[in-house]
Amino acid sequence: MGKSIVFVGGGQMAEAFIKGLLQSQEATPDTIYVVEPDPLRRSHLETLFHVTTAEPGAPLPAAAQTVILAVKPQVMGGVLADLKDQLTDRLVITVAAGLPLSFYASYVGDQVPVIRVMPNIATLVLAGASVLCRNQQVTDEQLAEAEKLFDSVGTTTVVEERLMDAVTGLSGSGPAFLLTFIEGLMDGGIKVGLDQRTARQLAIQTVFGTALLAQVSGEHPAELRARVTSPGGTAISGLQTMEEAGFRGTVMVAVEAAVKRSKELGGS
Ligand SMILES: NC(=O)c1ccc[n+]([C@@H]2O[C@H](COP(=O)([O-])OP(=O)(O)OC[C@H]3O[C@@H](n4cnc5c(N)ncnc54)[C@H](OP(=O)(O)O)[C@@H]3O)[C@@H](O)[C@H]2O)c1
């Protein structure tokens, strides 16, 4: 990005983004400023990344064109009330789950450009799936800058705001579903005699490698699956059991249930 960035909230998400920005050389430590109440977090971030930090209440640096709000949704209203006069000339990016763009407008007015992001937990290892939507004040150039920023911690997809609940159900909640699947693979391995360490390593690498294969090949999962399902073989026996148990339908319903809950939490 080249210009200064302010993070409001220096927790897990902010740390992941700072790491990604520095590793990808999208930013240098002297261009990153973090507002964070916890002195231990501040000194952790200063030591790890050599960035500048401050307690809430200090004026935001005038040169920072972008402010990334990385606090919990429950405290967002208070943060916006405190900062609203300092946000008017900047691009505001929020990673808080669930809060609609109209929530920000109710504090800062509708003339401030705001980008809402749904990141996921894999952002912490720079392999996240971030989904962005914007309000009408965000220019194409600002959106492109934000996409570059989120590309440094994984992949970035832009959608209309009406689809944010849908992506929350898929990429936001998806890690929880996949971790349950990994645990199931592990337990299956243990049931047939593997030790826990071996089962864990094989389950994780199998999911990781298969996801990479699906990504690199670009093929539909059904085509790839057909290649590893030989007639009368082992995979088709296991697949029959999964189909009889309604595995695919269960996953679909899990995504739908997460979307429904996201809507409830967002008040729609
Ligand atoms: N972690 C994820 O996987 C994930 C995924 C999707 C979306 N998100 C969203 O990302 C946001 C941040 O999540 P997180 O996991 O990074 O949470 P976190 O680790 O709790 O970080 C939030 C930080 O904000 C600080 N804070 C509280 N009040 C503040 C204030 N007035 N000014 C500045 N900083 C303040 C907190 O300090 P104290 O602890 O001292 O209060 C904490 O260090 C949340 O809105 C969440 O919905 C997270």
Side-chain angles (χ1 to χ4, degrees):
M1 223 177 226
K3 303 163 197 154
S4 318
I5 300 171
V6 173
F7 285 87
V8 178
Q12 284 196 80
M13 269 291 143
E15 181 168 338
F17 286 125
I18 294 169
K19 189 170 154 193
L21 285 170
L22 296 177
Q23 272 186 12
S24 63
Q25 300 181 337
E26 279 296 312
T28 50
D30 58 312
T31 61
I32 296 177
Y33 183 90
V34 186
V35 179
E36 163 62 43
D38 181 352
L40 289 177
R41 283 298 301 170
R42 287 203 301 273
S43 89
H44 168 76
L45 295 172
E46 282 174 11
T47 309
L48 199 60
F49 300 124
H50 309 290
V51 297
T52 306
T53 71
E55 286 180 64
L60 303 183
Q65 285 307 300
T66 305
V67 175
I68 300 182
L69 302 174
V71 297
K72 293 283 187 203
Q74 306 87 284
V75 301
M76 188 62 84
V79 166
L80 289 169
D82 290 344
L83 289 179
K84 63 178 193 301
D85 294 336
Q86 297 190 68
L87 297 178
T88 45
D89 290 334
R90 315 187 202 235
L91 170 65
V92 174
I93 299 178
T94 171
V95 298
L99 301 176
L101 289 168
S102 57
F103 177 86
Y104 300 89
S106 70
Y107 286 89
V108 299
D110 53 13
Q111 292 309 305
V112 175
V114 181
I115 293 177
R116 176 183 162 196
V117 184
M118 181 65 215
N120 74 6
I121 188 79
T123 299
L124 302 181
V125 289
L126 312 186
S130 301
V131 185
L132 279 57
C133 68
R134 60 170 159 174
N135 71 3
Q136 288 187 337
Q137 308 310 320
V138 176
T139 64
D140 288 346
E141 194 193 353
Q142 286 172 322
L143 184 67
E145 281 192 0
E147 285 186 68
K148 232 169 139 192
L149 195 158
F150 287 92
D151 281 348
S152 74
V153 290
T155 64
T156 312
T157 306
V158 179
V159 299
E160 287 175 34
E161 187 172 34
R162 67 184 173 83
L163 292 174
M164 287 304 267
D165 292 311
V167 302
T168 302
L170 201 166
S171 54
S173 307
F177 307 151
L178 277 164
L179 288 163
T180 306
F181 179 73
I182 289 173
E183 203 187 354
L185 274 185
M186 271 180 70
D187 286 349
I190 292 167
K191 178 102 196 294
V192 294
L194 299 178
D195 63 72
Q196 180 149 1
R197 193 163 163 270
T198 305
R200 180 178 191 276
Q201 189 192 332
L202 292 179
I204 290 172
Q205 182 60 26
T206 301
V207 170
F208 180 75
T210 308
L212 192 62
L213 177 67
Q215 187 184 52
V216 170
S217 74
E219 287 180 57
H220 191 285
E223 290 170 32
L224 291 171
R225 192 182 53 227
R227 284 208 237 142
V228 292
T229 311
S230 50
T234 57
I236 193 68
S237 297
L239 283 169
Q240 182 181 1
T241 310
M242 290 175 82
E243 294 297 348
E244 282 170 3
F247 177 80
R248 197 194 313 235
T250 303
V251 175
M252 290 169 68
V253 173
V255 172
E256 261 188 317
V259 172
K260 182 167 172 272
R261 184 67 184 139
S262 174
K263 286 183 176 159
E264 282 167 10
L265 292 174
S268 60

